[in-house]
Amino acid sequence: MVTVREQLPGRLNELSEETTVEHAEQAQHDLAEWLDRVRAIFDGAELKQLEEVAQLALQRELESTVKHPSNTFYTGLEMANILAHLYVDEDTLSAAMLYRGVREGVISLEEVLNDFGANVHGLVKGTLAMGKLSELIEKNKRLEDHFNNNQREHLTGIYKMLISVTEDVRVVLIKLAERTYALRELAKSSKDRQERVAREILTIYSPLAHRLGIAQLKWELEDLAFRYLAPERYKEIASLLNEKRLEREQYIQFVIDKLRNALLEYGIEAEISGRVKHIYSIYRKMKSKDLSFDQLYDIRAVRVLVKAVPECYHTLGIVHQMWRHIPHQFDDYITNPKANGYRSLHTAVIAENKSLEVQIRTHAMHNEAELGVCSHFNYKEGSKNTDHSFNHRLHSLRAVLEHYQERNDASAHKDEDAEENFDKIQEFEDFEKIYVFSRDGDIKELPRGSTVLDFAYHVHTEVGNKCYAARVNQRYVPLTYTLKTGEQVEILTKKDREPNRDWLVNSLGYIKTGRARDKLRHWFRQQDRSKNLEVGREILHKELLRLALHPKSIDLADYCNHFNVKSGEDILIGLVNGDISLHALINQVNRHMHLDQDEPELVLKPTLNPRASHTLSAHGILIDGLDNVELHIAQCCQPVHGESIAGYITLNRGVSIHKVACPDYLRMIHNEPERAVEADWEMQPTRGQSVQIVVEAYDRRGLLKDLTQVIFSDQINIRQVNTISEADGIANMKLLIEVKGLAQLSRLLARLEQQPGIISARRLVQGN
């Protein structure tokens, strides 16, 4: 592989304020030579975008180096060089070239988007996100123990965490190139950093390269990492390979010539070469099978490439005719490919009194074995093309990794690539997952959208029950905070803390997972019945007062059938343990107040022609016995859809609509009963009804903005706002809003009371 270091003798990191035109010209010359070599790799493709990207990266490097040597261009060129030999597309090469410059602030993401489009921008942004997680993992001391002890559960969590922020497989390729370059440059670092980075790469990134089937990167990552983690063992195996080198080369050449002549007799044209097993693979096999170097049968190996699949099996038969097959040393990965797409025939024979491994595959299989997912990128006449049948695998890392599950081989002997030290990534039950760190550095998997309270119950039931606060990334957050991948969560608990009934209210957003909800309901079910009855009454009483409804007007026995319980007390118990939603009960109260479920035929019908006037139906109210009369909602009680209502004929404003229990209405019809008319709501509100609510809160900047955002999020219209700030720092806010019934009003008031600094939120009617 061509190294950029040799091609750019000017070493941009050595440029200073005395940078001369000669240095810049030399850098341009070296860059032009590199671009020519890359174009040759892609059969003469123009690669205009890559040239523009490289020129921008070089320009910014020259501008920034006089201030601080950042090496962003040099690193980007190295990364692009690695990926060029994997035949990735031009966008990937461009993103690799820009990545380090964007990370160091030399180039902005906005500039990438404007100059090179959304595709390159998305790749750079995705690699940055993956890089941030990589840094978190590297700095996490607890995870270092997982690396050392190879704790499979936590390693799998790391894989999944990295996958969760990745939507495009090319992001991982760029990250793998960056890690490969980091390993090559690691000789300059301290021993501690060498071991830490090498351990991270050997544990995380070389298995990722394996799962993507990219043998070129996998072998280099493993050997370089092994060199830093076990330098003495590395040197020992390397020296053993060198000692046997001449003997092995003579033997391999003899075997190749003999096999080629045998194949030609059968009319098979094959490309045959010797294969050198890489050092880390040798070490792994010696350790796992307790073998000495001389006992390894596959140190001597040949690879046979033929044109078509039938020739693979024909060649296999010829090999077994020529030399004695070693029992249990045969794998057919053509009929049964590996999950990462690897296909080949593997056999081992005794050839000329020595063990020999023979791999047989087509040229296409060999290309995929070396390049893996990258083999599905190609260039034709300068344009970017991909294998569309493999499109889902190219554009979604999950399609490759989440479904990665190799079959267990019953044989005790397996191919070297199947002998991973790490667990295979399990198939996800749910693609929508997030991965967060606990306070101690453990990785926890949660459904996307989970809150810190969901996390608390995921850790342990008692942690959830006794939770009173939470910190995310060392910052206090509300218990409704929605977590994101990579965040570190700390739950604060108190011994005397008990769960809050509001946690079960869906609209308040405390918990989103069924697991947390079940644990919370179980806790409430275990409490004393008499205590639960008392709490249930308080919950209902508080809600009715907040809605300005008289508690005595509600008979819970009316709702037993709907909730399938025996008594009103069971409804109160259900409110406490979460079996019955408070909003569900209020919704039924709302329905019951305007519709007698046993006698639906008694719903009032208007006697006027509906086309004669639109005034009567504007509020969704039906008036009995009047035609073409104006009506309006009385401001003294402001009835809401679902409440029992009646009409009062005024002298000059038509009919005013009151709650049946409104004191003003009762006084007026007592004096003039002939002015009373029957009224009722239509089955569904045709528009919102105006309701006045009052919010009491500790005054602060942004209070009104926060409250209006909550109201608008429920698609509720605000008609009027009046705010008064008292001298004691308390703000009283009166808002005239439009709601479509008690249930919507109940949800809104509950949500408002959950906002920071809110003392109370309730419905306001005359006299309260």
Side-chain angles (χ1 to χ4, degrees), residues 497-511:
R497 176 74 173 186
E498 291 186 350
N500 190 319
R501 173 61 184 73
D502 286 344
W503 293 356
L504 284 171
V505 179
N506 287 331
S507 60
L508 299 182
Y510 281 102
I511 56 176

Side-chain angles (χ1 to χ4, degrees), residues 452-646:
V452 291
L453 197 54
D454 286 310
F455 173 86
Y457 277 103
H458 181 86
V459 172
H460 195 278
T461 302
E462 284 303 300
V463 174
N465 288 341
K466 299 186 180 302
C467 169
Y468 76 93
R471 290 194 295 185
V472 173
N473 296 338
Q474 306 300 316
R475 179 175 59 88
Y476 281 98
V477 297
L479 298 184
T480 54
Y481 179 84
T482 300
L483 294 169
K484 296 179 285 294
T485 290
E487 293 181 322
Q488 187 169 43
V489 189
E490 180 183 2
I491 301 297
L492 307 179
T493 61
K494 288 182 179 179
K495 289 184 178 180
D496 58 350
R497 176 74 173 186
E498 291 186 350
N500 190 319
R501 173 61 184 73
D502 286 344
W503 293 356
L504 284 171
V505 179
N506 287 331
S507 60
L508 299 182
Y510 281 102
I511 56 176
K512 303 291 181 61
T513 65
R515 175 177 180 176
R517 190 173 300 279
D518 290 343
K519 289 183 175 182
L520 195 53
R521 285 175 173 171
H522 178 74
W523 186 89
F524 284 114
R525 290 192 188 100
Q526 299 304 310
Q527 306 310 302
D528 181 72
R529 181 177 176 85
S530 61
K531 179 180 178 181
N532 281 344
L533 282 174
E534 181 181 349
V535 173
R537 289 191 183 95
E538 290 178 0
I539 291 171
L540 182 58
H541 184 77
K542 177 182 177 182
E543 184 65 17
L544 294 178
L545 290 180
R546 185 159 57 186
L547 294 171
L549 297 174
H550 199 288
K552 291 184 179 180
S553 64
I554 306 299
D555 186 356
L556 292 179
D558 294 335
Y559 310 105
C560 292
N561 288 337
H562 177 80
F563 292 109
N564 196 27
V565 295
K566 295 180 179 179
S567 67
E569 287 189 350
D570 292 332
I571 292 179
L572 295 176
I573 296 293
L575 288 177
V576 177
N577 62 32
D579 290 337
I580 296 176
S581 164
L582 178 60
H583 293 314
L585 177 59
I586 294 301
N587 190 50
Q588 288 306 308
V589 170
N590 183 71
R591 291 169 58 87
H592 188 79
M593 294 177 85
H594 82 277
L595 175 63
D596 187 335
Q597 296 179 353
D598 295 330
E599 298 183 276
E601 68 276 7
L602 295 181
V603 176
L604 296 174
K605 305 294 182 182
T607 59
L608 72 164
N609 183 348
R611 290 177 293 183
S613 170
H614 298 287
T615 306
L616 289 177
S617 60
H619 295 281
I621 296 174
L622 304 175
I623 300 295
D624 187 33
L626 293 177
D627 186 13
N628 201 21
V629 172
E630 178 186 359
L631 61 83
H632 63 274
I633 300 296
Q635 295 304 304
C636 56
C637 56
Q638 292 182 335
V640 178
H641 187 279
E643 294 181 310
S644 298
I645 57 175

Side-chain angles (χ1 to χ4, degrees), residues 751-766:
R751 290 189 61 198
L752 290 175
E753 284 197 344
Q754 299 305 314
Q755 301 309 303
I758 302 301
I759 300 172
S760 68
R762 57 187 175 85
R763 178 186 177 190
L764 181 64
V765 296
Q766 189 177 41

Side-chain angles (χ1 to χ4, degrees), residues 719-765:
R719 299 185 62 184
Q720 185 178 354
V721 177
N722 183 20
T723 302
I724 300 176
S725 296
E726 305 291 349
D728 57 0
I730 302 297
N732 285 284
M733 309 173 66
K734 293 182 181 180
L735 299 94
L736 186 63
I737 61 175
E738 290 183 348
V739 297
K740 292 185 177 181
L742 291 175
Q744 187 180 38
L745 179 60
S746 172
R747 287 192 298 270
L748 174 64
L749 294 175
R751 290 189 61 198
L752 290 175
E753 284 197 344
Q754 299 305 314
Q755 301 309 303
I758 302 301
I759 300 172
S760 68
R762 57 187 175 85
R763 178 186 177 190
L764 181 64
V765 296

Side-chain angles (χ1 to χ4, degrees), residues 211 337-340 399-408 423-428:
R211 284 156 174 77
K338 293 184 179 182
N340 64 0
V400 182
L401 298 179
E402 290 176 0
H403 296 283
Y404 187 95
Q405 191 173 5
E406 287 189 326
R407 296 168 297 279
N408 291 325
D423 261 2
K424 306 299 184 287
I425 296 179
Q426 299 294 321
E427 181 177 14
F428 282 164

Side-chain angles (χ1 to χ4, degrees), residues 215-344:
Q216 287 186 19
L217 289 188
K218 172 181 180 288
W219 292 346
E220 182 174 3
L221 288 171
E222 288 182 342
D223 277 2
L224 288 177
F226 180 55
R227 177 181 178 182
Y228 291 115
L229 290 174
E232 297 302 322
R233 197 75 175 112
Y234 178 91
K235 292 177 183 177
E236 177 186 347
I237 296 174
S239 64
L240 288 172
L241 282 173
N242 288 332
E243 289 174 5
K244 304 288 184 178
R245 184 175 181 179
L246 180 60
E247 175 189 343
R248 185 173 64 251
E249 287 178 351
Q250 292 175 344
Y251 169 80
I252 290 297
Q253 190 58 51
F254 175 80
V255 168
I256 287 175
D257 292 340
K258 187 172 183 178
L259 179 56
R260 180 179 291 111
N261 292 333
L263 293 176
L264 287 174
E265 291 181 7
Y266 288 92
I268 299 176
E269 294 185 6
E271 180 182 324
I272 309 175
S273 60
R275 181 184 67 83
V276 178
K277 195 175 182 70
H278 65 297
I279 293 176
Y280 180 67
S281 181
I282 292 173
Y283 164 76
R284 193 173 57 199
K285 181 160 287 189
M286 291 172 61
K287 183 177 180 180
S288 64
K289 297 188 176 183
D290 195 23
L291 299 174
S292 67
F293 183 82
D294 292 329
Q295 290 176 303
L296 296 179
Y297 69 85
D298 56 352
I299 294 297
R300 295 170 292 271
V302 295
R303 179 174 291 145
V304 184
L305 305 182
V306 295
K307 295 179 180 179
V309 172
E311 290 184 345
C312 291
Y313 290 97
H314 194 177
T315 300
L316 177 67
I318 294 172
V319 169
H320 285 175
Q321 286 179 7
M322 294 176 60
W323 300 303
R324 180 168 59 86
H325 171 240
I326 300 176
H328 308 298
Q329 296 296 328
F330 171 70
D331 290 294
D332 185 351
Y333 295 119
I334 294 179
T335 302
N336 300 300
K338 293 184 179 182
N340 64 0
Y342 179 84
R343 293 180 297 162
S344 183

Side-chain angles (χ1 to χ4, degrees), residues 706-721:
D706 292 346
L707 296 185
T708 54
Q709 284 181 343
V710 172
I711 296 172
F712 289 148
S713 68
D714 275 356
Q715 298 182 335
I716 294 174
N717 185 37
I718 301 176
R719 299 185 62 184
Q720 185 178 354
V721 177

